[in-house]
Amino acid sequence: MSRASALLLLVILACVPVTAQERPYFVTYDHHLEEPGNMEISSTSLFGVPKTSRTFLASSLEFGYGITGWWTSEFYLNGQSTRGDSTLFTGYRFENRFRLLLREHWINPVLYVEFSNGNGADKTLKEIVGFDSQAGLGAPNDVERREKEREIELKLILSSNVRGWNISENFITEKNLGGGLWEFAYAVGISRPLQLAARPERCVLCPENFVVGIESYGGLGEGRRVTPRNASHYLAPVMAWQLPNGTTMRISPGFGLGRQSSRLLLRWSVTYEVSGFGRRVRNLFR
Amino acid sequence: MKRTSAAIGFLALALGVFCGAGRSQQAAEAHTGTRSGFDFQRVPQDSLRRDNPFQGVPAAIRAGEKLFLQHCAECHSSTEEKTRGPHLNSGKVRKAPPGALFWFVRNGNLKRGMPAWSRLPDQRIWQIVGFLQAQAAPGEDTPR
């Protein structure tokens, strides 16, 4: 391990964890960004059960950083393993979220811009776009990995907080820079903490530490054929459990709706948030 | 060769973003560090008139202290001398209209590094406000 990597690891271990009330959704985004200077490290997995092909396990390692109060950047490393096939690295993605209004409103818009560089074997399914279907997950990894996918993705995130509930709607469009049509998608979610007020004592299993909700996501066609027909759609209950030490665990079983969808997409993640990460890294180089 | 150039370009971009963010963050920290409080002029009138539903409730104040330590103390610690944000154990905060504090915590000041805490339910923000206003001045006993 190089000296720089060792120093970085030391900074992460020495940082103070904070509890930051993570969103419970996996696909839908709300308008809450990272606190400035905080780093969020997350490991997310997806166990997929397609109807007509082999099960798979896709994983991503995420690093999110609050650059300012209105700008958050995230970097992902993705990989997957298909039963009876192979395990491989499938690429990276770099996303940025910009909050467009600096105060809270009934509806709070956020602009999302992403660049991803991967191959056709990626199965992290962070969003389902266009006419993506479960049948497309069946090709062997050896064939899919040869297909280069350099894509740009834009999202308009709209999100509201009403009486303890969060309601979020995402309008998604994606394009492969190597050619092809613009593809469209949606994601909507609603969630609420099990208890709104906090207890005086520190607790682990109390209702205030749990956020529950439901999200739905799917494709909306491509090019001039903007339609939810012949696309795959999912309905997924979500739950997040926030521990006082700064760790958040999330789980969501996504059930496929219609013929084009997989039977089940079971997602789970562990997130750890470290506060003052940027300040500590800068101090290393002074 | 093309791939290497792309990787170098990407790393340079990431480094630039990080350094740029560092400067803006430092500016924000410097700014908040010199401010003793916040500006009530920005708070809408209807928010100024709101009362804290947990005002003076001991359990809510203790819950507010717990929440403060979880979410706010990293920047507004009352024990460390040098903090990113202003110290909140001040007469200005104790005497402020509760609705103004609530509005400020909920909206933040995104340009100057204070995040919006609208992700917290209103009840928890009121508990934090209750704690902030129940804090004793330095040298006094905390009223509980």
Side-chain angles (χ1 to χ4, degrees):
Chain A
M1 189 187 288
S2 71
R3 194 167 166 228
S5 315
L7 277 172
L8 201 63
L9 188 65
L10 197 69
V11 165
I12 291 171
L13 293 175
C15 281
V16 184
V18 290
T19 319
Q21 203 81 17
E22 291 303 315
R23 70 189 155 92
Y25 316 119
F26 281 86
V27 177
T28 314
Y29 282 85
D30 61 25
H31 69 290
H32 304 304
L33 305 184
E34 282 298 316
E35 284 92 66
N38 284 10
M39 165 76 93
E40 185 183 272
I41 302 163
S42 183
S43 167
T44 303
S45 300
L46 160 67
F47 178 68
V49 186
K51 286 173 187 147
T52 56
S53 56
R54 294 166 173 169
T55 56
F56 60 88
L57 179 70
S59 296
S60 62
L61 189 61
E62 310 172 12
F63 302 91
Y65 184 73
I67 294 172
T68 68
W70 50 267
W71 177 12
T72 287
S73 228
E74 289 200 38
F75 182 72
Y76 297 70
L77 296 169
N78 300 328
Q80 62 102 329
S81 178
T82 303
R83 192 170 153 224
D85 198 335
S86 59
T87 299
L88 71 163
F89 173 69
T90 56
Y92 67 84
R93 52 194 281 167
F94 179 56
E95 70 175 46
N96 288 281
R97 280 176 281 151
F98 304 97
R99 200 172 151 146
L100 300 179
L101 300 175
L102 298 184
R103 286 187 191 176
E104 284 291 306
H105 295 268
W106 276 99
I107 297 173
N108 302 282
V110 173
L111 182 65
Y112 171 110
V113 183
E114 178 204 297
F115 170 73
S116 66
N117 187 357
N119 57 48
D122 183 38
K123 292 180 178 175
T124 46
L125 304 180
K126 274 286 284 178
E127 57 278 309
I128 309 286
V129 294
F131 294 111
D132 284 356
S133 82
Q134 58 93 29
L137 300 168
N141 285 343
D142 193 38
V143 175
E144 289 288 339
R145 71 188 302 178
R146 288 181 212 150
E147 185 192 335
K148 293 285 169 216
E149 287 187 350
R150 291 196 180 89
E151 293 172 334
I152 185 164
E153 184 179 307
L154 305 171
K155 286 182 191 175
L156 177 63
I157 299 165
L158 302 177
S159 167
S160 315
N161 289 327
V162 185
R163 296 177 185 274
W165 292 89
N166 174 263
I167 304 158
S168 299
E169 308 90 30
N170 298 179
F171 303 94
I172 305 162
T173 179
E174 182 180 287
K175 187 174 188 336
N176 191 335
L177 296 175
L181 298 167
W182 282 95
E183 297 177 290
F184 303 100
Y186 71 92
V188 292
I190 180 166
S191 66
R192 182 186 189 275
L194 283 183
Q195 189 180 334
L196 297 179
R199 291 181 181 194
E201 65 275 8
R202 191 180 153 99
C203 53
V204 174
L205 274 171
C206 47
E208 74 186 60
N209 290 343
F210 289 88
V211 182
V212 294
I214 193 160
E215 69 177 339
S216 177
Y217 46 89
L220 285 176
E222 59 185 29
R224 290 184 181 176
R225 290 176 59 212
V226 181
T227 170
R229 288 187 178 185
N230 297 322
S232 48
H233 304 275
Y234 293 87
L235 191 65
V238 291
M239 187 180 80
W241 178 27
Q242 287 153 351
L243 297 165
N245 69 358
T247 306
T248 301
M249 295 188 215
R250 295 183 295 165
I251 188 162
S252 169
F255 302 101
L257 309 172
R259 278 180 303 164
Q260 306 297 332
S261 314
S262 292
R263 195 164 286 135
L264 175 72
L265 297 179
L266 177 64
R267 300 175 194 262
W268 67 93
S269 78
V270 179
T271 303
Y272 187 72
E273 177 144 356
V274 285
S275 107
F277 178 82
R279 194 159 34 107
R280 285 170 170 85
V281 169
R282 282 197 301 277
N283 287 343
L284 279 180
F285 297 100
R286 273 186 187 149
Chain B
M1 184 66 190
K2 206 173 175 183
R3 203 178 280 181
T4 313
S5 312
I8 290 169
F10 178 76
L11 283 174
L13 180 69
L15 194 67
V17 163
F18 192 77
C19 293
R23 274 200 296 276
S24 93
Q25 184 68 17
Q26 279 168 344
E29 286 167 15
H31 192 96
T32 49
T34 56
R35 283 164 68 96
S36 59
F38 50 89
D39 187 7
F40 292 146
Q41 306 290 326
R42 300 169 56 221
V43 182
Q45 282 299 315
D46 54 341
S47 297
L48 278 174
R49 287 193 288 270
R50 294 181 72 182
D51 286 327
N52 187 348
F54 296 110
Q55 188 77 45
V57 179
I61 293 170
R62 289 206 310 279
E65 183 176 15
K66 181 182 83 170
L67 293 168
F68 179 85
L69 292 172
Q70 279 179 356
H71 303 299
C72 320
E74 165 67 17
C75 298
H76 300 284
S77 168
S78 52
T79 52
E80 287 175 35
E81 202 169 288
K82 197 178 172 189
T83 56
R84 281 164 71 187
H87 288 288
L88 300 179
N89 191 354
S90 69
K92 187 173 181 183
V93 170
R94 276 189 293 278
K95 289 173 195 158
L101 291 175
F102 176 89
W103 186 90
F104 196 76
V105 173
R106 192 165 193 272
N107 285 274
N109 191 344
L110 302 186
K111 280 186 188 167
R112 291 177 178 160
M114 162 76 182
W117 283 97
S118 58
R119 70 188 64 196
L120 291 178
D122 289 359
Q123 286 82 346
R124 293 187 206 178
I125 299 177
W126 281 122
Q127 287 175 320
I128 292 171
V129 170
F131 164 70
L132 290 176
Q133 299 205 297
Q135 284 187 108
E140 286 178 11
D141 289 334
T142 309
R144 290 277 162 85

